[in-house]
Amino acid sequence: MSKRKVKKSAILIMGIICFFIIYFISFRAFSGLGQGKGTKIVSTEEKVDTRSLLSQFKNKNKIYISDGNVSNVRMEQEKVQEFRYSFNEFSKIRTPDSYTPVYEGYTDDDIKFSTDLNVFRVYTVNQEEYYKVPVSYKKEFKQILDTSIYTSFDFIKQYKTWKQVTIYFGDETKKVSGWNYDDLASKMVQKRLVGKIQPEKARERSKYKFTINITSDSYQAKVDIMGEDYVKITVNNLISYYEVSNNLFNYIKTDIFKIADSE
């Protein structure tokens, strides 16, 4: 073997040895980082919420409610606030001997609730609490729950439940075809729940007093168009007023009744 080949082999071996020495030193240096002062150990344990379920429930903003006729109607935000306020009337009790819920619902996580208007139950998979609804508050509580369902926009816009839709303007009547239900529903865009004074004044001033009648298997709904910016929803003697987008007014005026802007 020539001296040149031996020299090349020696250089190669020395290079490999140097590489491993440098690698070992670098590994030790970097593995020591973060072990000095101020190093925090990250805990993988989740914090357990020790508050009552009712207290946790009060912080929920998305609430869905059902009764024997309709399911999974999302409460308007103003109704959520009324619902939360109801909890101030409740007092905690033991598990009742018998209980058959009339209303049921859930939040956007794992907390659920139900009530028969005498008892209010809030629960998860692993825990439950029962509260007494005062007799003096029962009627008001039912009103909150019923209006949360039947006069909410989430309910009124469920066009797949509609059987017949008729719109009135004075002596003129227009029947909306089934294939246009989704188009009409898409124009129903609420801004907020309001009191009755402004909407009633707006309807008095308006030249165009439209009314939508919606018939379904389980309810009759009336939507009065209160000028361009408000509606009044009436279902089973329950009433709510909303400020809305003027898209609904314009759609009924222009597309349904073909009224020109100059009229």
Side-chain angles (χ1 to χ4, degrees):
M1 182 181 296
S2 67
K3 290 183 179 180
R4 182 176 294 178
K5 287 184 178 180
V6 172
K7 188 174 181 180
K8 285 183 177 180
S9 298
I11 291 171
L12 178 62
I13 292 170
M14 288 296 296
I16 293 173
I17 293 172
C18 288
F19 170 80
F20 281 107
I21 291 172
I22 293 170
Y23 175 82
F24 180 76
I25 293 172
S26 299
F27 177 80
R28 291 292 300 271
F30 283 106
S31 65
L33 292 177
Q35 294 182 7
K37 287 186 177 181
T39 302
K40 294 182 179 179
I41 299 174
V42 179
S43 175
T44 58
E45 295 182 5
E46 294 183 1
K47 292 183 179 179
V48 177
D49 195 334
T50 58
R51 296 174 300 163
S52 69
L53 288 179
L54 193 64
S55 295
Q56 295 177 47
F57 190 76
K58 286 180 180 179
N59 293 329
K60 306 305 176 184
N61 292 316
K62 292 183 180 179
I63 297 178
Y64 300 83
I65 184 170
S66 308
D67 67 1
N69 296 316
V70 295
S71 302
N72 306 324
V73 174
R74 181 173 175 177
M75 283 188 180
E76 304 292 345
Q77 192 55 45
E78 294 84 358
K79 285 297 178 182
V80 170
Q81 294 173 4
E82 283 188 48
F83 190 44
R84 289 174 183 160
Y85 185 78
S86 299
F87 302 159
N88 296 331
E89 304 290 331
F90 300 166
S91 56
K92 194 171 183 179
I93 59 173
R94 296 179 180 178
T95 304
D97 295 332
S98 61
Y99 173 71
T100 303
V102 177
Y103 301 87
E104 297 181 294
Y106 58 92
T107 67
D108 52 348
D109 56 19
D110 62 345
I111 298 181
K112 299 180 181 180
F113 71 92
S114 65
T115 184
D116 62 357
L117 298 177
N118 296 308
V119 171
F120 183 80
R121 180 191 182 210
V122 56
Y123 61 101
T124 63
V125 174
N126 301 314
Q127 188 179 356
E128 67 176 3
E129 295 171 0
Y130 288 89
Y131 293 84
K132 177 65 178 175
V133 180
V135 174
S136 60
Y137 189 69
K138 183 175 178 179
K139 183 177 180 181
E140 183 176 344
F141 188 45
K142 185 178 190 304
Q143 180 85 2
I144 291 171
L145 295 174
D146 286 342
T147 53
S148 294
I149 295 174
Y150 292 102
T151 63
S152 75
F153 256 79
D154 188 42
F155 168 74
I156 209 70
K157 289 174 62 174
Q158 292 182 359
Y159 64 89
K160 291 183 179 180
T161 67
W162 297 353
K163 297 300 180 182
Q164 181 175 305
V165 178
T166 308
I167 304 179
Y168 299 92
F169 173 48
D171 296 330
E172 195 173 355
T173 301
K174 297 286 186 180
K175 186 176 180 180
V176 181
S177 301
W179 55 81
N180 288 325
Y181 286 176
D182 59 341
D183 199 21
L184 176 60
S186 70
K187 303 299 185 295
M188 297 178 175
V189 180
Q190 85 276 34
K191 292 183 178 179
R192 61 191 179 100
L193 191 68
V194 296
K196 65 179 291 186
I197 296 176
Q198 284 300 112
E200 292 291 353
K201 286 182 178 179
R203 186 167 173 91
E204 285 179 14
R205 292 192 299 263
S206 180
K207 180 181 177 180
Y208 305 105
K209 295 177 173 60
F210 304 117
T211 297
I212 307 171
N213 278 355
I214 300 172
T215 301
S216 181
D217 288 336
S218 57
Y219 67 90
Q220 292 272 351
K222 183 172 74 168
V223 182
D224 290 311
I225 311 303
M226 318 291 276
E228 296 186 24
D229 302 312
Y230 300 97
V231 298
K232 173 185 177 182
I233 298 177
T234 306
V235 180
N236 301 333
N237 297 319
L238 301 167
I239 298 173
S240 288
Y241 294 85
Y242 291 90
E243 183 181 1
V244 297
S245 165
N246 60 12
N247 288 344
L248 179 59
F249 175 89
N250 293 334
Y251 176 75
I252 294 174
K253 178 185 172 185
T254 305
D255 293 62
I256 302 296
F257 286 96
K258 311 297 182 185
I259 300 173
D261 289 337
S262 59
E263 293 184 41

